[in-house]
Amino acid sequence: MSLKSERRGIHVDQSELLCKKGCGYYGNPAWQGFCSKCWREEYHKARQKQIQEDWELAERLQREEEEAFASSQSSQGAQSLTFSKFEEKKTNEKTRKVTTVKKFFSASSRVGSKKAEIQEPKAPSPSINRQTSIETDRVSKEFIEFLKTFHKTGQEIYKQTKLFLETMHYKRDLSIEEQSECTQDFYQNVAERMQTRGKVPPERVEKIMDQIEKYIMTRLYKYVFCPETTDDEKKDLAIQKRIRALHWVTPQMLCVPVNEEIPEVSDMVVKAITDIIEMDSKRVPRDKLACITKCSKHIFNAIKITKNEPASADDFLPTLIYIVLKGNPPRLQSNIQYITRFCNPSRLMTGEDGYYFTNLCCAVAFIEKLDAQSLNLSQEDFDRYMSGQTSPRKQESENWSPDACLGVKQMYKNLDLLSQLNERQERIMNEAKKLEKDLIDWTDGIAKEVQDIVEKYPLEIRPPNQSLASIDSENVENDKLPPPLQPQVYAG
């Protein structure tokens, strides 16, 4: 089996990571291969089409109802009077529906525009005025201190941000996709205002947007991360169960060019797993992306040390899949969806953060669709491994190819040693149970023999005889001692 054939199921062309619309930005499987900008355009088109179809259906139903109502009237005068009332009712109902639809889709309106500032309520929401946590309070203070350096522009940004948070409080009943769209519109609106009106340089705009994202997402995190209205939790459990079922996948099957026998490489692998797990503890999308980036850089370093040359994309993706399988990060799908929905879109479409995040999405998609052909296994072996009936056996030393990874060889040696230790442990446990049974039987036998002897030769216990009086006792009656000797004086 050649190295090229082994990589056939994992190889991803770099062009496949880009937006399929050809805009040059990174795409995302969660956006059906589009980048953030193109996905929103497609989403707007689909939503407007759905709204138009709903209106056409409503108008058709109203026409049918009107015709049925008009035909049921026997009197022309009564019909005219009733029809006029029906027309009035229809107009009022249509106006009400238009207002409702506008309110429902007001998430896509420009939050920073004057129209939004007039229409949105400015009363502070209870959620914003509640007792904030230590972290939220710290982030708020940092955000205010950061904006003080921008003077008037900073005041305007703070005002827009507070207004956005108050608006999001009243839009909490909307779907998570609509809340995401509202947040993305806010990012775009604030960035455009700073560039056009404030004449802020692009590099400073990015820093400001990072602080804005940190401030608003720290406050909104508990409401928009893995909400109950979505199936994010269900997807988390499914991917965790899938990764547990794939515990038997070896680095050789994935063609991972990492030798964990090298201490420095082993440390890099541990750090990469730690970073990908740490992603769940962060609140801000940018901080979660930073964990993915650190994990990816540790992977590149591990590959570079092993191969003694820079890593390629064909080396990176299989190793990232291996790290995800080995680490099984908690709430993986929820974190990916959270980043996709609420991260600053410029980070996901360009730069190293966007590249590594796109690769992580591809790795998760590969794990979900992994089959026998992807690992170059027969379907029979794949099914046996997945069911837990057996695991990949240790390969004989003569079957190893000269360029086989040393880490894989050592892994199989360790697996064989563990198998031997397991057999020895089972023998020891069986002997220990046998010894325990022998001790119990011996104790019961001794107790039975003692009982038989006691029953055969019963002991008769007699009361003790009355003891003699003590010499020093004052009992005169029983004192049979001779009288004391009297001293005699001899004359000399």
Side-chain angles (χ1 to χ4, degrees):
M1 184 183 297
S2 65
L3 192 63
K4 183 177 180 181
S5 62
E6 290 180 354
R7 284 180 174 168
R8 180 180 53 191
I10 309 176
H11 176 73
V12 175
D13 194 347
Q14 294 301 295
S15 61
E16 298 178 11
L17 302 179
L18 300 177
C19 176
K20 65 181 183 181
K21 202 171 182 179
C23 63
Y25 295 117
Y26 290 122
N28 192 320
W31 295 327
Q32 299 179 3
F34 293 102
C35 67
S36 175
K37 182 180 178 181
C38 296
W39 166 248
R40 292 176 63 198
E41 293 176 356
E42 295 295 325
Y43 179 78
H44 276 294
K45 291 178 182 178
R47 193 177 66 174
Q48 293 298 328
K49 182 179 179 181
Q50 184 64 40
I51 294 175
Q52 183 64 27
E53 291 177 355
D54 292 342
W55 272 114
E56 292 176 357
L57 177 61
E59 291 178 355
R60 181 171 61 82
L61 293 176
Q62 286 180 355
R63 285 197 302 269
E64 294 177 357
E65 181 183 0
E66 177 184 340
E67 293 173 358
F69 182 80
S71 62
S72 64
Q73 302 299 319
S74 58
S75 174
Q76 184 67 26
Q79 179 179 358
S80 301
L81 179 60
T82 307
F83 186 75
S84 62
K85 291 183 179 180
F86 178 79
E87 282 292 328
E88 181 180 357
K89 181 180 179 181
K90 174 185 174 183
T91 304
N92 294 336
E93 183 69 15
K94 186 173 182 180
T95 305
R96 184 185 65 81
K97 288 184 177 180
V98 171
T99 306
T100 303
V101 171
K102 286 183 178 180
K103 289 181 179 179
F104 184 80
F105 291 108
S106 59
S108 60
S109 61
R110 300 297 183 183
V111 180
S113 62
K114 295 182 179 180
K115 182 178 180 180
E117 292 177 357
I118 295 174
Q119 291 180 352
E120 295 296 340
K122 296 186 178 182
S125 66
S127 63
I128 299 177
N129 289 336
R130 73 181 185 279
Q131 183 66 31
T132 58
S133 64
I134 297 177
E135 182 178 2
T136 304
D137 189 41
R138 176 182 58 82
V139 171
S140 301
K141 291 180 180 179
E142 292 177 356
F143 183 62
I144 293 174
E145 292 296 325
F146 175 78
L147 293 180
K148 284 182 179 179
T149 59
F150 293 91
H151 306 294
K152 187 176 180 180
T153 303
Q155 295 177 0
E156 182 66 22
I157 293 173
Y158 183 75
K159 185 187 300 183
Q160 294 180 25
T161 306
K162 293 287 287 184
L163 179 61
F164 168 76
L165 290 175
E166 294 168 4
T167 304
M168 289 295 291
H169 171 71
Y170 293 103
K171 294 183 179 181
R172 201 167 291 167
D173 294 334
L174 297 180
S175 66
I176 193 66
E177 287 76 16
E178 290 168 331
Q179 295 185 53
S180 170
E181 185 181 357
C182 183
T183 306
Q184 297 296 329
D185 284 339
F186 173 72
Y187 287 150
Q188 182 179 357
N189 183 62
V190 172
E192 289 178 354
R193 281 198 169 196
M194 285 189 293
Q195 292 176 354
T196 56
R197 297 186 182 182
K199 305 298 181 182
V200 181
E203 59 275 6
R204 299 193 70 181
V205 170
E206 286 298 321
K207 293 182 180 180
I208 296 174
M209 293 305 300
D210 289 342
Q211 292 296 323
I212 292 176
E213 176 189 310
K214 182 178 180 180
Y215 175 66
I216 65 175
M217 296 317 303
T218 301
R219 287 182 169 271
L220 297 177
Y221 176 80
K222 70 179 293 188
Y223 304 107
V224 298
F225 181 83
C226 191
E228 297 179 355
T229 56
T230 65
D231 59 349
D232 291 351
E233 185 176 2
K234 182 179 179 180
K235 292 180 179 179
D236 290 335
L237 297 177
I239 192 66
Q240 280 194 345
K241 183 178 179 181
R242 176 71 171 173
I243 292 176
R244 291 193 191 102
L246 294 170
H247 66 90
W248 49 268
V249 176
T250 63
Q252 184 188 17
M253 295 177 181
L254 297 172
C255 197
V256 175
V258 169
N259 184 5
E260 294 187 62
E261 285 188 342
I262 304 175
E264 191 175 358
V265 174
S266 179
D267 292 341
M268 291 293 177
V269 171
V270 172
K271 290 179 181 179
I273 295 174
T274 303
D275 289 332
I276 198 68
I277 293 177
E278 188 182 2
M279 173 179 62
D280 186 59
S281 65
K282 305 298 182 181
R283 284 190 173 189
V284 184
R286 180 170 60 92
D287 294 341
K288 292 181 180 293
L289 277 179
C291 292
I292 300 173
T293 301
K294 288 192 295 183
C295 169
S296 302
K297 289 184 177 180
H298 288 315
I299 291 174
F300 273 106
N301 290 334
I303 298 173
K304 182 178 180 181
I305 295 173
T306 302
K307 299 180 64 176
N308 200 21
E309 61 181 17
S312 64
D314 289 339
D315 296 329
F316 170 68
L317 185 57
T319 311
L320 179 60
I321 294 172
Y322 172 68
I323 293 297
V324 174
L325 289 175
K326 196 170 182 179
N328 197 359
R331 300 193 292 185
L332 181 58
Q333 287 286 8
S334 291
N335 282 287
I336 290 177
Q337 292 295 330
Y338 177 70
I339 294 172
T340 301
R341 292 165 182 161
F342 298 101
C343 184
N344 185 2
S346 62
R347 284 191 171 272
L348 297 184
M349 294 190 299
T350 57
E352 62 178 6
D353 289 343
Y355 174 77
Y356 295 139
F357 180 71
T358 303
N359 275 273
L360 177 62
C361 294
C362 293
V364 175
F366 175 83
I367 292 172
E368 291 176 336
K369 299 177 182 179
L370 187 143
D371 55 11
Q373 184 179 3
S374 302
L375 300 175
N376 297 306
L377 297 174
S378 65
Q379 189 63 41
E380 182 181 357
D381 290 341
F382 182 82
D383 293 338
R384 287 207 311 269
Y385 298 157
M386 289 295 292
S387 62
Q389 296 177 0
T390 184
S391 59
R393 295 181 179 179
K394 172 182 176 294
Q395 295 191 17
E396 300 297 334
S397 57
E398 60 269 13
N399 295 334
W400 291 106
S401 60
D403 57 345
C405 180
L406 295 177
V408 175
K409 293 181 181 179
Q410 184 62 39
M411 184 195 68
Y412 278 104
K413 292 180 181 178
N414 294 338
L415 288 176
D416 185 55
L417 179 61
L418 288 174
S419 178
Q420 296 177 10
L421 291 175
N422 186 39
E423 293 176 359
R424 291 180 59 185
Q425 184 182 14
E426 289 180 357
R427 289 198 301 268
I428 292 173
M429 291 299 297
N430 293 333
E431 293 294 334
K433 290 179 180 179
K434 183 180 179 181
L435 177 60
E436 182 182 11
K437 185 177 182 301
D438 292 342
L439 288 174
I440 294 174
D441 294 342
W442 180 80
T443 304
D444 293 341
I446 295 297
K448 188 175 184 303
E449 291 179 6
V450 171
Q451 184 66 25
D452 293 342
I453 293 174
V454 170
E455 292 178 355
K456 187 175 181 180
Y457 305 102
L459 296 177
E460 183 181 355
I461 302 176
R462 299 177 181 178
N465 296 330
Q466 188 175 4
S467 60
L468 298 176
S470 176
I471 296 178
D472 297 332
S473 175
E474 295 180 358
N475 188 357
V476 181
E477 296 179 357
N478 296 331
D479 191 0
K480 304 301 182 181
L481 294 176
L485 295 178
Q486 298 294 330
Q488 297 181 5
V489 180
Y490 296 94

